[in-house]
Amino acid sequence: MLNQPSVGYQWYVIFVLLLAQTFSFLDRMIMGLLVGPIRETFAISDTQYSLLAGLAFSLFYAGMGLPLARIADSRNRRNLISVGITVWSFMTALCGLAQQFWTLFAARVGVGVGEATLGPGAYSMITDYFPKSQLGRALSVYTLGVTLGSGFAYMLGGAVVAYVQTLGQVTLPLIGDVYGWQLTFFIVGLPGLIVALLMYTTVKEPVRRGVVAGDTLLPVAQVVAYAWQRRRAYGCHIFGLSTFIMVVYALNLWGPTYFIRTFGYDAAQAGWTFGLLMLIAGSAGLLLAGYVADAWVKKGVSDAYVRLILISMVCMTPCAIALGFVTNATTAIIVMSLAVFFSAFQGGIAGGTLQLMTPNRMRGQMIAAYLLVATLIGLGFGPTVIAATTDFVFGYDEAIGKSIALCAGILCPTGALILWFGLSHIRHEIDLQSEAALAEQPSIA
């Protein structure tokens, strides 16, 4: 039997995965600061832009997740993630070469394909590296990459965008003329290749927990049957979170634009404000959720993760609604901070719930199924719903805050009700897997 890795090395792995997650969201969320220049260059509407920022990425991110997750459940997860980082970093840089709407759309598709490797592989690796009593904190620290990546995308990206927009067209060697905003994609994309190298050379593949001799990757039909037999548990968790995440992604994408349109911020001011807000409020929410979840689990509350997510949904709702009614920037920053704080609770423990209720050889696939639905619904439609509400319900750009308020007032309670409806069934599956772990025999019957 292989030696158990040291605590220091376990957290080093989290650090490398955190870097990967950070660059993942940096490459993903930089689109939130490029609304103006891309719309002007390609002469497109908010709704068309949301297709670039959301649907182009999410369709293939979600679609490729399941086949890649089967690789994560059966083969070397470290190698899979390394290749994925390389692909999405290269495709992000390739976005800087786009000369029309559809070429940028295609490059964003490539970013989605690369990033589809990270979630299934990382969640599965972390669950094998850490005991249940520390899993909430480990997953929350890993998921800090969401707030760090988004925050740096807006803070540093805002400054970069403000600078490159002053350049007009720039002539690059071997490439030719590009717009200033296109340089942003080169700047944020290429450094990810260093993280891919770090992942491949310094991170070890962990021993799989709960896998007995002769246990192999299960056929797709058996995985589907397993989930279908437990459809209320898995369905309520996945669809409840996905409905809520529509608002989370909408805030992340349209947050800077909200400050620009409502309070007259320029791109650099909006990027710095929203980025700092994500770094502080979002990170605080993630870390607090992981700490509280682990404390509850130690006290015997097996469904602590889900209960904490439900609390955050209830608390976020009035904060998001208030964004449509505040009249000064200071109040808006406070309200937005609270909304982001509560929205971040689910970041690590939503996927952690699936890890706790699923046998090892299915964990990557269940995470992929969750990411598929959450990405298609949350990222694919969340930003677009806000954009369409602004375009077609209110009819003017400055109504972005009212659009957020209206959609959040409907979607947050709906997501909470769906999740609450499955709470007892989720708890049953978590308890079942805990008993199986104690017996050192995965339950897949």
Side-chain angles (χ1 to χ4, degrees):
M1 182 174 180
L2 296 177
N3 294 330
Q4 181 71 17
S6 67
V7 173
Y9 183 76
Q10 289 174 322
W11 285 103
Y12 171 75
V13 171
I14 293 292
F15 169 73
V16 177
L17 290 171
L18 167 62
L19 283 180
Q21 181 79 298
T22 299
F23 274 91
S24 167
F25 265 76
L26 178 62
D27 294 350
R28 189 182 310 186
M29 302 310 296
I30 194 66
M31 294 290 288
L33 277 172
L34 299 173
V35 178
I38 292 180
R39 280 188 61 191
E40 181 181 349
T41 300
F42 297 141
I44 57 177
S45 67
D46 273 356
T47 302
Q48 288 174 298
Y49 185 82
S50 71
L51 298 179
L52 286 174
L55 194 62
F57 171 90
S58 62
L59 276 177
F60 284 82
Y61 176 87
M64 292 298 296
L66 287 172
L68 290 169
R70 287 188 63 79
I71 297 175
D73 280 340
S74 61
R75 299 184 182 180
N76 191 295
R77 293 160 286 186
R78 184 274 312 275
N79 294 348
L80 177 67
I81 293 172
S82 299
V83 172
I85 300 171
T86 301
V87 171
W88 90 57
S89 299
F90 175 77
M91 295 305 292
T92 297
L94 200 61
C95 289
L97 301 179
Q99 298 298 316
Q100 56 181 328
F101 176 88
W102 288 111
T103 52
L104 182 53
F105 189 96
R108 289 289 293 170
V109 165
V111 176
V113 171
E115 293 196 14
T117 63
L118 181 58
Y123 273 96
S124 180
M125 287 180 70
I126 293 169
T127 306
D128 284 335
Y129 263 117
F130 285 85
K132 184 178 177 180
S133 60
Q134 298 176 17
L135 184 61
R137 278 170 289 176
L139 288 172
S140 292
V141 171
Y142 157 66
T143 315
L144 276 177
V146 175
T147 56
L148 294 176
S150 300
F152 286 132
Y154 292 135
M155 292 175 69
L156 303 179
V160 170
V161 170
Y163 171 70
V164 298
Q165 281 185 257
T166 66
L167 300 179
Q169 282 198 321
V170 179
T171 301
L172 298 179
L174 304 177
I175 294 175
D177 293 338
V178 297
Y179 289 100
W181 60 263
Q182 291 175 294
L183 292 177
T184 307
F185 288 110
F186 296 120
I187 294 170
V188 303
L190 294 177
L193 298 174
I194 300 173
V195 182
L197 182 62
L198 192 65
M199 182 76 195
Y200 184 75
T201 56
T202 66
V203 172
K204 300 175 183 177
E205 175 73 3
V207 176
R208 293 182 183 270
R209 296 174 183 263
V211 177
V212 297
D215 193 10
T216 59
L217 181 65
L218 298 170
V220 174
Q222 189 172 346
V223 177
V224 172
Y226 181 90
W228 179 251
Q229 290 170 4
R230 297 153 177 82
R231 55 189 174 275
R232 184 164 169 181
Y234 284 106
C236 289
H237 181 78
I238 290 173
F239 284 98
L241 264 296
S242 298
T243 303
F244 176 64
I245 287 172
M246 289 177 70
V247 183
V248 177
Y249 272 121
L251 281 181
N252 287 353
L253 180 66
W254 292 109
T257 303
Y258 168 76
F259 287 104
I260 290 170
R261 293 182 181 177
T262 308
F263 301 106
Y265 284 30
D266 60 29
Q269 289 175 312
W272 181 264
T273 299
F274 194 75
L276 193 62
L277 188 153
M278 285 290 294
L279 284 174
I280 296 175
S283 299
L286 274 170
L287 293 176
L288 179 63
Y291 177 82
V292 173
D294 281 348
W296 281 7
V297 167
K298 288 179 181 178
K299 292 181 179 180
V301 184
S302 61
D303 60 351
Y305 291 12
V306 184
R307 291 180 180 273
L308 197 57
I309 293 169
L310 283 169
I311 291 171
S312 72
M313 288 178 170
V314 172
C315 293
M316 179 185 169
T317 303
C319 302
I321 292 174
L323 291 170
F325 302 95
V326 295
T327 56
N328 67 79
T330 301
T331 305
I333 290 172
I334 294 172
V335 172
M336 183 70 83
S337 297
L338 290 171
V340 169
F341 173 77
F342 289 116
S343 76
F345 275 42
Q346 52 78 33
I349 58 179
T353 302
L354 290 171
Q355 301 297 288
L356 294 177
M357 60 191 284
T358 306
N360 190 298
R361 290 293 190 183
M362 299 184 189
R363 287 175 183 165
Q365 294 166 85
M366 291 302 180
I367 281 290
Y370 164 62
L371 292 175
L372 186 154
V373 178
T375 303
L376 284 178
I377 294 177
L379 181 56
F381 295 106
T384 302
V385 166
I386 299 297
T389 303
T390 303
D391 286 342
F392 303 116
V393 176
F394 295 106
Y396 61 101
D397 289 350
E398 289 74 16
I400 187 75
K402 291 182 172 59
S403 298
I404 293 172
L406 177 61
C407 294
I410 297 171
L411 295 172
C412 290
T414 300
L417 285 172
I418 295 171
L419 184 59
W420 178 80
F421 186 67
L423 180 60
S424 62
H425 295 263
I426 295 170
R427 180 171 58 248
H428 173 75
E429 295 303 320
I430 293 173
D431 292 340
L432 184 66
Q433 291 306 313
S434 294
E435 293 169 4
L438 290 175
E440 297 185 349
Q441 172 69 44
S443 175
I444 60 175

